[in-house]
Amino acid sequence: MLYAGFMSADLPLFPQPQEPLDTPRLLEVGSAPDEPCLRADAARNRARLLEAAAELIAEHGAAGVTMEAVAAAAGVGKGTVFRRFGDRTGLLTALLDHSARKLQADFLGGPPPLGPGAPPVERLHAFGRAVLYRTAEQLDLHLAAQPEPTRRFSHPARRGLHTHVTMLLRQILPDADCDLLAQTLMAYLDPALINHLNRQCGMPMERLENGWTDLVARVTSTGT
Amino acid sequence: MLYAGFMSADLPLFPQPQEPLDTPRLLEVGSAPDEPCLRADAARNRARLLEAAAELIAEHGAAGVTMEAVAAAAGVGKGTVFRRFGDRTGLLTALLDHSARKLQADFLGGPPPLGPGAPPVERLHAFGRAVLYRTAEQLDLHLAAQPEPTRRFSHPARRGLHTHVTMLLRQILPDADCDLLAQTLMAYLDPALINHLNRQCGMPMERLENGWTDLVARVTSTGT
DNA sequence: AATGAAACTGGACCACGGTCCGGTTAAGGT
DNA sequence: ACCTTAACCGGACCGTGGTCCAGTTTCATT
């Protein structure tokens, strides 16, 4: 089972005076498996919920699982689920949080070529490959976790990736609008696009990988 | 008011033996304002619905309009709305159909540089500008009309644009994987991205336009 | 004009995401 | 051990998108 176990990435921010759980601070390196001092019962329920969700998803697919079912399977009330995870995408995102953090740790402090040490272009290539395959592995979940259009780009995890790509680009193309170029590169790694190309159109992953390589080459080629 | 008046782009495809309305054949040039011989009452209701929807959207914003409200405002039952337009995004898409067809006509048969006659790179530049501004004009509607991730790229209108970009690219880069490159270019024009950059991040449209120009230049630069 | 069948209609109905709030419980101070 | 309080809990409740189907309307045929 592929579930997160514990760790953060919930986002309540409700009409209450609270601030009990961390908003996903994806960008900070301190990889402490935080768990922002949730009350004991709350933490226990959180774990139960994630476990139940993972189980149900493995059984019925990410799309065919209702929040109520998760609550029931975890033996808690529906309200508890929403209090903890905010909404459906919050729960799904929490399930992905583990691998998200791992990826982030890898390209932030891991060994080259993904981590620091390799030349920026190499890191960019490695980054795309990594995201591509990681996403493909958990495609259903990624698709189901995709929030509505208005929030898609505000999502902290996505912002984290985007920031990283931007910084790499800046080292390669100091004079370009790296923010926009990074958006373009990130767009190529959109789960929905991967799904369309790989599953709906039947393109093999190797072709997508080559596509990324080619794209990076074109984008980073200085116009000389 | 910005409504479509009549014309096609509905998609029922239900458990019935029917095939009464056209699936949006966006790619055919014959710009006949078809209306695929709907029954008289059906056609009337369709027009009423579109009009009512446009009105309500102008009043409450695209996001704050329920299907039931549209039905009520048009003086028909809820079932009728869904039979005609399939689902919420179907209705919203139908509202955009008019300008979608106009755009398509422009780049398919209009005057250069958008239409045929100009060199492919020029057409590509013009295409991006056109889509960019057209999308920005009706951003709310475009956002609300965006279907769930699984269908985003299967959507006929999007496929039409993608095909066109692919063909232009092929004229410029006969040896590249133009299909994938076209996806990348199209991704830059995603309404959700435009919304994020322009509205949420406050980038002026000129910057996005320059971004497009730059992107096209980089992507189409032969590596010599 | 009458008729039959296909197409359409409307609103009751359902499922699911999300909210609310009275009651409960854990945690820290005394 | 007890008290206070803020956080948490559960499940009743609501609105909305989408489905269903018995009844009605249109239109082609005769």
Short mmCIF file of all heavy atoms in Angstrom, two decimals, chain B residues 20 39 41-42 45 76-77 79-80 83, chain C residues 5-14:
data_model
loop_
_atom_site.label_atom_id
_atom_site.label_comp_id
_atom_site.label_asym_id
_atom_site.label_seq_id
_atom_site.Cartn_x
_atom_site.Cartn_y
_atom_site.Cartn_z
N PRO B 20 -29.43 13.14 -32.51
CA PRO B 20 -30.21 14.22 -33.06
C PRO B 20 -29.42 15.51 -33.25
O PRO B 20 -29.71 16.29 -34.11
CB PRO B 20 -31.29 14.44 -32.01
CG PRO B 20 -30.69 13.91 -30.73
CD PRO B 20 -29.48 13.11 -31.08
N ARG B 39 -35.93 19.22 -33.69
CA ARG B 39 -37.37 19.40 -33.77
C ARG B 39 -37.70 20.83 -33.38
O ARG B 39 -36.99 21.44 -32.58
CB ARG B 39 -38.06 18.43 -32.83
CG ARG B 39 -39.15 17.64 -33.49
CD ARG B 39 -39.66 16.56 -32.60
NE ARG B 39 -40.32 17.06 -31.42
CZ ARG B 39 -40.96 16.27 -30.55
NH1 ARG B 39 -40.99 14.97 -30.76
NH2 ARG B 39 -41.53 16.77 -29.50
N ASP B 41 -39.79 22.47 -31.47
CA ASP B 41 -39.84 22.86 -30.06
C ASP B 41 -38.48 22.76 -29.41
O ASP B 41 -38.10 23.62 -28.60
CB ASP B 41 -40.87 22.00 -29.32
CG ASP B 41 -40.60 20.51 -29.52
OD1 ASP B 41 -39.81 20.17 -30.43
OD2 ASP B 41 -41.16 19.70 -28.78
N ALA B 42 -37.73 21.74 -29.79
CA ALA B 42 -36.41 21.56 -29.21
C ALA B 42 -35.50 22.74 -29.55
O ALA B 42 -34.79 23.27 -28.70
CB ALA B 42 -35.79 20.26 -29.69
N ASN B 45 -36.44 25.75 -27.49
CA ASN B 45 -35.96 25.63 -26.12
C ASN B 45 -34.46 25.82 -26.03
O ASN B 45 -33.95 26.44 -25.10
CB ASN B 45 -36.34 24.27 -25.54
CG ASN B 45 -37.79 24.24 -25.11
OD1 ASN B 45 -38.41 25.29 -24.93
ND2 ASN B 45 -38.34 23.05 -24.96
N VAL B 76 -38.10 26.01 -18.80
CA VAL B 76 -38.16 24.60 -19.16
C VAL B 76 -37.73 23.77 -17.96
O VAL B 76 -37.28 24.30 -16.96
CB VAL B 76 -37.24 24.28 -20.35
CG1 VAL B 76 -37.53 25.20 -21.51
CG2 VAL B 76 -35.79 24.38 -19.94
N GLY B 77 -37.84 22.47 -18.09
CA GLY B 77 -37.45 21.58 -17.00
C GLY B 77 -35.96 21.32 -17.03
O GLY B 77 -35.28 21.49 -18.04
N GLY B 79 -34.40 18.52 -16.84
CA GLY B 79 -34.02 17.42 -17.71
C GLY B 79 -33.73 17.88 -19.13
O GLY B 79 -32.84 17.36 -19.80
N THR B 80 -34.49 18.86 -19.57
CA THR B 80 -34.31 19.37 -20.92
C THR B 80 -32.91 19.94 -21.12
O THR B 80 -32.28 19.73 -22.16
CB THR B 80 -35.36 20.45 -21.21
OG1 THR B 80 -36.64 19.90 -20.94
CG2 THR B 80 -35.29 20.90 -22.64
N ARG B 83 -30.50 17.05 -21.40
CA ARG B 83 -30.68 16.31 -22.66
C ARG B 83 -30.02 17.06 -23.80
O ARG B 83 -29.36 16.48 -24.65
CB ARG B 83 -32.16 16.13 -22.96
CG ARG B 83 -32.46 16.01 -24.46
CD ARG B 83 -33.87 15.56 -24.69
NE ARG B 83 -33.93 14.13 -24.45
CZ ARG B 83 -33.85 13.21 -25.42
NH1 ARG B 83 -33.70 13.59 -26.68
NH2 ARG B 83 -33.92 11.94 -25.16
P DA C 5 -46.19 2.11 -34.01
OP1 DA C 5 -45.96 0.73 -34.50
OP2 DA C 5 -46.82 2.36 -32.68
"O5'" DA C 5 -44.81 2.89 -34.07
"C5'" DA C 5 -44.36 3.40 -35.34
"C4'" DA C 5 -43.33 4.46 -35.10
"O4'" DA C 5 -43.97 5.73 -34.82
"C3'" DA C 5 -42.43 4.19 -33.90
"O3'" DA C 5 -41.14 4.68 -34.21
"C2'" DA C 5 -43.06 5.01 -32.79
"C1'" DA C 5 -43.52 6.24 -33.58
N9 DA C 5 -44.61 6.97 -32.97
C8 DA C 5 -45.62 6.48 -32.18
N7 DA C 5 -46.46 7.40 -31.77
C5 DA C 5 -45.98 8.57 -32.33
C6 DA C 5 -46.43 9.90 -32.27
N6 DA C 5 -47.52 10.28 -31.60
N1 DA C 5 -45.71 10.82 -32.93
C2 DA C 5 -44.61 10.44 -33.60
N3 DA C 5 -44.09 9.22 -33.73
C4 DA C 5 -44.84 8.32 -33.06
P DA C 6 -39.87 4.14 -33.41
OP1 DA C 6 -39.29 3.00 -34.13
OP2 DA C 6 -40.25 4.02 -31.99
"O5'" DA C 6 -38.88 5.39 -33.58
"C5'" DA C 6 -38.99 6.18 -34.75
"C4'" DA C 6 -38.76 7.63 -34.39
"O4'" DA C 6 -39.95 8.18 -33.76
"C3'" DA C 6 -37.62 7.85 -33.40
"O3'" DA C 6 -36.85 8.96 -33.85
"C2'" DA C 6 -38.33 8.13 -32.08
"C1'" DA C 6 -39.60 8.83 -32.55
N9 DA C 6 -40.74 8.71 -31.64
C8 DA C 6 -41.13 7.61 -30.95
N7 DA C 6 -42.20 7.79 -30.21
C5 DA C 6 -42.55 9.11 -30.45
C6 DA C 6 -43.59 9.93 -29.96
N6 DA C 6 -44.54 9.49 -29.12
N1 DA C 6 -43.64 11.19 -30.39
C2 DA C 6 -42.70 11.63 -31.24
N3 DA C 6 -41.67 10.96 -31.77
C4 DA C 6 -41.65 9.70 -31.33
P DA C 7 -35.47 9.34 -33.21
OP1 DA C 7 -34.52 9.66 -34.30
OP2 DA C 7 -35.16 8.31 -32.20
"O5'" DA C 7 -35.83 10.69 -32.44
"C5'" DA C 7 -36.48 11.72 -33.15
"C4'" DA C 7 -37.02 12.74 -32.18
"O4'" DA C 7 -38.17 12.18 -31.49
"C3'" DA C 7 -36.03 13.15 -31.10
"O3'" DA C 7 -35.81 14.54 -31.23
"C2'" DA C 7 -36.70 12.77 -29.78
"C1'" DA C 7 -38.18 12.67 -30.17
N9 DA C 7 -38.96 11.71 -29.39
C8 DA C 7 -38.68 10.40 -29.17
N7 DA C 7 -39.57 9.77 -28.43
C5 DA C 7 -40.51 10.75 -28.15
C6 DA C 7 -41.70 10.73 -27.40
N6 DA C 7 -42.18 9.65 -26.79
N1 DA C 7 -42.40 11.89 -27.31
C2 DA C 7 -41.92 12.98 -27.93
N3 DA C 7 -40.82 13.11 -28.67
C4 DA C 7 -40.15 11.95 -28.73
P DC C 8 -34.93 15.28 -30.16
OP1 DC C 8 -34.45 16.47 -30.88
OP2 DC C 8 -34.01 14.34 -29.51
"O5'" DC C 8 -36.01 15.78 -29.10
"C5'" DC C 8 -37.06 16.61 -29.55
"C4'" DC C 8 -38.03 16.83 -28.43
"O4'" DC C 8 -38.56 15.56 -28.00
"C3'" DC C 8 -37.43 17.46 -27.18
"O3'" DC C 8 -38.07 18.70 -26.94
"C2'" DC C 8 -37.70 16.46 -26.07
"C1'" DC C 8 -38.86 15.67 -26.63
N1 DC C 8 -38.99 14.30 -26.07
C2 DC C 8 -40.09 13.98 -25.28
O2 DC C 8 -40.93 14.85 -25.03
N3 DC C 8 -40.21 12.72 -24.78
C4 DC C 8 -39.28 11.80 -25.07
N4 DC C 8 -39.44 10.58 -24.57
C5 DC C 8 -38.16 12.11 -25.90
C6 DC C 8 -38.05 13.36 -26.38
P DT C 9 -37.56 19.59 -25.75
OP1 DT C 9 -37.84 20.99 -26.13
OP2 DT C 9 -36.20 19.16 -25.39
"O5'" DT C 9 -38.52 19.18 -24.56
"C5'" DT C 9 -39.92 19.44 -24.69
"C4'" DT C 9 -40.62 19.06 -23.39
"O4'" DT C 9 -40.59 17.63 -23.24
"C3'" DT C 9 -39.98 19.66 -22.15
"O3'" DT C 9 -40.92 20.49 -21.49
"C2'" DT C 9 -39.57 18.45 -21.31
"C1'" DT C 9 -40.43 17.33 -21.87
N1 DT C 9 -39.80 15.98 -21.82
C2 DT C 9 -40.42 14.98 -21.11
O2 DT C 9 -41.47 15.13 -20.52
N3 DT C 9 -39.76 13.78 -21.13
C4 DT C 9 -38.57 13.49 -21.77
O4 DT C 9 -38.07 12.37 -21.71
C5 DT C 9 -37.97 14.59 -22.49
C7 DT C 9 -36.68 14.39 -23.22
C6 DT C 9 -38.61 15.77 -22.49
P DG C 10 -40.39 21.59 -20.53
OP1 DG C 10 -41.24 22.79 -20.67
OP2 DG C 10 -38.94 21.69 -20.64
"O5'" DG C 10 -40.75 20.92 -19.13
"C5'" DG C 10 -42.08 20.54 -18.88
"C4'" DG C 10 -42.16 19.72 -17.63
"O4'" DG C 10 -41.52 18.43 -17.87
"C3'" DG C 10 -41.42 20.31 -16.43
"O3'" DG C 10 -42.21 20.08 -15.27
"C2'" DG C 10 -40.12 19.54 -16.36
"C1'" DG C 10 -40.55 18.18 -16.86
N9 DG C 10 -39.49 17.41 -17.49
C8 DG C 10 -38.41 17.88 -18.19
N7 DG C 10 -37.62 16.95 -18.64
C5 DG C 10 -38.22 15.77 -18.22
C6 DG C 10 -37.82 14.43 -18.41
O6 DG C 10 -36.84 14.00 -19.01
N1 DG C 10 -38.70 13.53 -17.81
C2 DG C 10 -39.84 13.89 -17.13
N2 DG C 10 -40.57 12.90 -16.63
N3 DG C 10 -40.21 15.15 -16.94
C4 DG C 10 -39.37 16.03 -17.51
P DG C 11 -42.25 21.16 -14.14
OP1 DG C 11 -43.54 21.85 -14.28
OP2 DG C 11 -40.98 21.92 -14.15
"O5'" DG C 11 -42.30 20.29 -12.81
"C5'" DG C 11 -43.00 19.04 -12.83
"C4'" DG C 11 -42.16 17.99 -12.16
"O4'" DG C 11 -41.16 17.47 -13.07
"C3'" DG C 11 -41.37 18.48 -10.93
"O3'" DG C 11 -41.40 17.46 -9.96
"C2'" DG C 11 -39.96 18.63 -11.50
"C1'" DG C 11 -39.94 17.39 -12.37
N9 DG C 11 -38.85 17.28 -13.31
C8 DG C 11 -38.12 18.30 -13.86
N7 DG C 11 -37.19 17.88 -14.67
C5 DG C 11 -37.30 16.50 -14.65
C6 DG C 11 -36.56 15.50 -15.31
O6 DG C 11 -35.63 15.65 -16.09
N1 DG C 11 -37.00 14.23 -14.99
C2 DG C 11 -38.03 13.96 -14.14
N2 DG C 11 -38.33 12.67 -13.94
N3 DG C 11 -38.74 14.88 -13.51
C4 DG C 11 -38.32 16.12 -13.81
P DA C 12 -41.81 17.74 -8.49
OP1 DA C 12 -43.18 18.27 -8.52
OP2 DA C 12 -40.71 18.50 -7.86
"O5'" DA C 12 -41.83 16.27 -7.88
"C5'" DA C 12 -42.52 15.23 -8.56
"C4'" DA C 12 -41.69 13.96 -8.56
"O4'" DA C 12 -40.61 14.05 -9.54
"C3'" DA C 12 -40.99 13.64 -7.22
"O3'" DA C 12 -41.03 12.23 -7.02
"C2'" DA C 12 -39.57 14.15 -7.44
"C1'" DA C 12 -39.36 13.81 -8.91
N9 DA C 12 -38.37 14.63 -9.59
C8 DA C 12 -38.28 15.99 -9.55
N7 DA C 12 -37.28 16.46 -10.27
C5 DA C 12 -36.68 15.34 -10.81
C6 DA C 12 -35.58 15.16 -11.66
N6 DA C 12 -34.86 16.17 -12.15
N1 DA C 12 -35.24 13.90 -12.00
C2 DA C 12 -35.97 12.89 -11.52
N3 DA C 12 -37.03 12.93 -10.72
C4 DA C 12 -37.34 14.19 -10.40
P DC C 13 -40.48 11.60 -5.66
OP1 DC C 13 -41.27 10.39 -5.43
OP2 DC C 13 -40.40 12.68 -4.64
"O5'" DC C 13 -38.98 11.17 -6.01
"C5'" DC C 13 -38.74 10.27 -7.10
"C4'" DC C 13 -37.25 10.11 -7.28
"O4'" DC C 13 -36.74 11.26 -7.97
"C3'" DC C 13 -36.45 10.00 -5.99
"O3'" DC C 13 -35.86 8.70 -5.91
"C2'" DC C 13 -35.38 11.09 -6.09
"C1'" DC C 13 -35.41 11.46 -7.56
N1 DC C 13 -35.05 12.89 -7.82
C2 DC C 13 -34.01 13.19 -8.69
O2 DC C 13 -33.41 12.26 -9.24
N3 DC C 13 -33.69 14.48 -8.92
C4 DC C 13 -34.37 15.46 -8.31
N4 DC C 13 -34.01 16.71 -8.57
C5 DC C 13 -35.43 15.17 -7.42
C6 DC C 13 -35.75 13.89 -7.19
P DC C 14 -35.12 8.22 -4.56
OP1 DC C 14 -35.44 6.80 -4.35
OP2 DC C 14 -35.36 9.22 -3.48
"O5'" DC C 14 -33.60 8.33 -4.99
"C5'" DC C 14 -33.15 7.77 -6.22
"C4'" DC C 14 -31.71 8.15 -6.45
"O4'" DC C 14 -31.64 9.53 -6.90
"C3'" DC C 14 -30.85 8.07 -5.19
"O3'" DC C 14 -29.73 7.25 -5.44
"C2'" DC C 14 -30.47 9.52 -4.89
"C1'" DC C 14 -30.57 10.18 -6.27
N1 DC C 14 -30.87 11.63 -6.20
C2 DC C 14 -30.02 12.53 -6.84
O2 DC C 14 -29.03 12.11 -7.44
N3 DC C 14 -30.29 13.85 -6.77
C4 DC C 14 -31.37 14.28 -6.12
N4 DC C 14 -31.62 15.58 -6.08
C5 DC C 14 -32.26 13.37 -5.47
C6 DC C 14 -31.98 12.06 -5.53
#
